[in-house]
Amino acid sequence: MSVKKNLMAQKKKIAFVTLARSDFSTTEPIFNNITSYKSIDSSLIVGGSHLLKRFGNSIKSINLKPSKIIKFMDENDNSSHEISKSYVRAIVNFTKYFKKEKFDAIFLVGDRWEMHAVASSAFMLRIPIIHHSGGDITQGSSDNQIRYSITNLSSFHFTATEEHKRRLIRIGEDRSRILVTGEPALEKLHNLVKESKNVSRNHIIATYHPCTFEKISILDQAKVFFDSILKIKDKILLTAPNPDHFSKEIYDFFKRSSRDHEHITFIENLGENYYKYLLSAKCLVGNSSSGIWEAQTSKTPVVNIGPRQEGRTKSFNVIDVNINQKEILRAIKKATSKNFNEKISKLKNPYYKKNSSEIISSNILKVLNKKDLLRKRINL
């Protein structure tokens, strides 16, 4: 075997999977960093809501060339039955690709049902899973169960905080297979904040995802939310919900209802400019995870509606309210006040860690060289 072929044979193959803006913001800095490692052959696999018009075709904002595009979702997926069929298609399509490429590991981020399908495929093919974002808690969403299921299928864990690590240890994960790294997505936002001076905050970002365990229907939740932001005079950027069960009902309602109101702009996805919009936002209103772990870095006030994010580490820039118009409007008034903004001006983000993506990249190489990575002990 030639020297060149021998070097290629020694390379470790790892697939990075991104299925939505939320996970790509974490994946991108790690992928960019790890491409400089000559001993690793890294591939970027793109699919999920990135490919759908309903979510703004966010694949267009990915400034990297995908190694593979895997389609499994349809534009009109909405019901539990339709989402279940998409889940099955994801397993089938990823299994075909993973079997062909013979990766040494798969890198996954987060807690989405789409990512759980990828984890299931990799696990059944005996491919080690390296997971980021385990140990978090979102009591008001079914993502909570999915997150811990992915954790259980994974062979190594990068967590955002020490508390997340402690939770993984409490559920039996081996502490030697957990590393606290911070949240890599915050590096870009942190740098943008440092570079930006005297930014004018001139709009409100509104995002509402289906809240799984509420007693009122998902559409009724959306109506309370929309009727509340209707009463705000500021310019509002209303973004599309995640591809959850029955989210298309919210999408169609928001898109249809916003047409009659000049101060509300409905946009599927703010894309690569999201952090700039976040930095210039007076307030974030809704139940997006961005309001919990990104808005702290941009010092953006947040009105967090309903229980979807219950259990997450929040700072005092977040005002929790029920799905109730009076509470929402009262909280927005408080969040946009001068006194509240002065109070949060010195806020520090517990999810941020310097050089997070570099820490993860260098340790991925160590993980790939571990023996018996698939042999996992549960310490209970």
Side-chain angles (χ1 to χ4, degrees):
M1 184 183 287
S2 68
V3 174
K4 184 176 180 180
K5 285 185 177 180
N6 188 47
L7 286 172
M8 288 296 290
Q10 293 175 1
K11 275 192 172 187
K12 296 289 187 179
K13 289 184 66 176
I14 181 168
F16 289 79
V17 180
T18 176
L19 305 177
R21 185 208 73 85
S22 55
D23 65 67
F24 183 67
S25 60
T26 297
T27 303
E28 181 183 27
I30 305 167
F31 186 83
N32 282 332
N33 199 293
I34 212 165
T35 51
S36 64
Y37 287 73
K38 295 181 180 179
S39 57
I40 294 179
D41 180 8
S42 53
S43 299
L44 183 67
I45 320 303
V46 179
S49 62
H50 279 309
L51 311 182
L52 302 183
K53 180 182 178 182
R54 173 175 144 203
F55 301 100
N57 291 117
S58 54
I59 188 172
K60 294 177 181 178
S61 62
I62 295 177
N63 298 316
L64 299 166
K65 185 177 180 180
S67 303
K68 181 69 175 179
I69 295 173
I70 296 183
K71 187 179 187 305
F72 58 89
M73 291 178 66
D74 291 333
E75 287 287 351
N76 293 318
D77 283 344
N78 183 54
S79 69
S80 297
H81 180 62
E82 289 162 342
I83 294 292
S84 296
K85 289 197 293 185
S86 289
Y87 181 90
V88 173
R89 287 195 295 269
I91 292 179
V92 170
N93 294 347
F94 274 97
T95 297
K96 287 179 181 177
Y97 181 68
F98 288 163
K99 183 182 177 183
K100 175 186 174 184
E101 292 297 320
K102 295 179 170 55
F103 290 105
D104 293 296
I106 310 295
F107 184 90
L108 306 179
V109 174
D111 51 21
R112 301 282 308 153
W113 64 264
E114 311 95 294
M115 208 61 88
H116 190 277
V118 181
S120 296
S121 172
F123 182 79
M124 295 306 292
L125 290 172
R126 309 300 293 154
I127 304 172
I129 299 166
I130 302 172
H131 183 225
H132 186 284
S133 299
D136 207 346
I137 290 179
T138 48
Q139 302 282 23
S141 167
S142 58
D143 289 351
N144 211 37
Q145 291 97 311
I146 291 170
R147 182 186 309 108
Y148 283 88
S149 181
I150 295 175
T151 288
N152 201 256
L153 296 174
S154 299
S155 295
F156 198 90
H157 316 277
F158 295 117
T159 68
T161 70
E162 289 286 347
E163 176 59 25
H164 294 172
K165 177 180 178 178
R166 288 192 290 270
R167 286 177 185 152
L168 294 190
I169 293 170
R170 286 202 296 271
I171 64 169
E173 293 296 324
D174 186 340
R175 66 175 64 243
S176 70
R177 290 179 177 233
I178 309 168
L179 184 66
V180 180
T181 62
E183 173 48 67
L186 295 175
E187 292 177 333
K188 182 178 180 179
L189 181 56
H190 181 80
N191 291 334
L192 184 62
V193 170
K194 287 200 320 185
E195 294 166 4
S196 304
K197 303 294 181 184
N198 300 318
V199 175
S200 175
R201 294 187 181 266
N202 52 23
H203 60 263
I204 286 175
I205 298 176
T207 305
Y208 193 83
H209 305 300
C211 200
T212 316
F213 304 129
E214 274 297 296
K215 292 180 180 179
I216 64 172
S217 73
I218 285 170
L219 188 55
D220 284 341
Q221 294 172 37
K223 287 178 178 177
V224 172
F225 175 74
F226 190 82
D227 287 345
S228 299
I229 63 174
L230 264 184
K231 295 184 178 296
I232 303 170
K233 294 180 180 179
D234 296 284
K235 179 181 178 182
I236 295 171
L237 300 177
L238 176 60
T239 62
N242 286 334
D244 293 325
H245 299 253
F246 304 107
S247 67
K248 192 173 185 300
E249 292 182 15
I250 296 180
Y251 174 90
D252 290 341
F253 172 70
F254 283 170
K255 188 173 184 179
R256 181 177 65 252
S257 301
S258 60
R259 290 173 185 155
D260 299 326
H261 305 282
E262 290 186 2
H263 74 299
I264 300 178
T265 302
F266 179 73
I267 184 168
E268 281 87 357
N269 193 307
L270 291 171
E272 60 186 330
N273 292 317
Y274 176 72
Y275 285 157
K276 290 182 180 179
Y277 284 111
L278 180 61
L279 193 60
S280 58
K282 280 187 175 183
C283 181
L284 217 64
V285 181
N287 59 4
S288 170
S289 58
S290 180
I292 308 303
W293 57 271
E294 289 174 305
Q296 295 183 68
T297 294
S298 61
K299 310 294 191 294
T300 305
V302 177
V303 175
N304 179 56
I305 302 172
R308 185 181 174 95
Q309 303 300 335
E310 183 183 335
R312 274 195 157 140
T313 302
K314 302 170 190 169
S315 194
F316 48 88
N317 67 315
V318 178
I319 304 170
D320 291 319
V321 296
N322 295 309
I323 305 172
N324 176 282
Q325 187 177 123
K326 286 185 179 179
E327 289 188 35
I328 293 169
L329 292 174
R330 193 182 303 123
I332 292 172
K333 184 177 180 180
K334 177 181 177 181
T336 54
S337 69
K338 183 179 179 181
N339 286 343
F340 190 81
N341 279 266
E342 287 176 352
K343 179 183 175 183
I344 68 173
S345 62
K346 303 298 181 182
L347 198 63
K348 290 187 178 180
N349 195 334
Y351 293 95
Y352 174 74
K353 192 178 182 72
K354 189 177 180 180
N355 300 323
S356 178
S357 60
E358 187 177 326
I359 293 168
I360 293 172
S361 300
S362 61
N363 279 282
I364 282 176
L365 181 58
K366 295 176 184 177
V367 172
L368 291 173
N369 287 323
K370 282 180 177 289
K371 293 181 179 180
D372 294 329
L373 192 54
L374 283 169
R375 189 187 293 274
K376 176 175 171 177
R377 293 180 62 86
I378 299 297
N379 301 314
L380 292 175

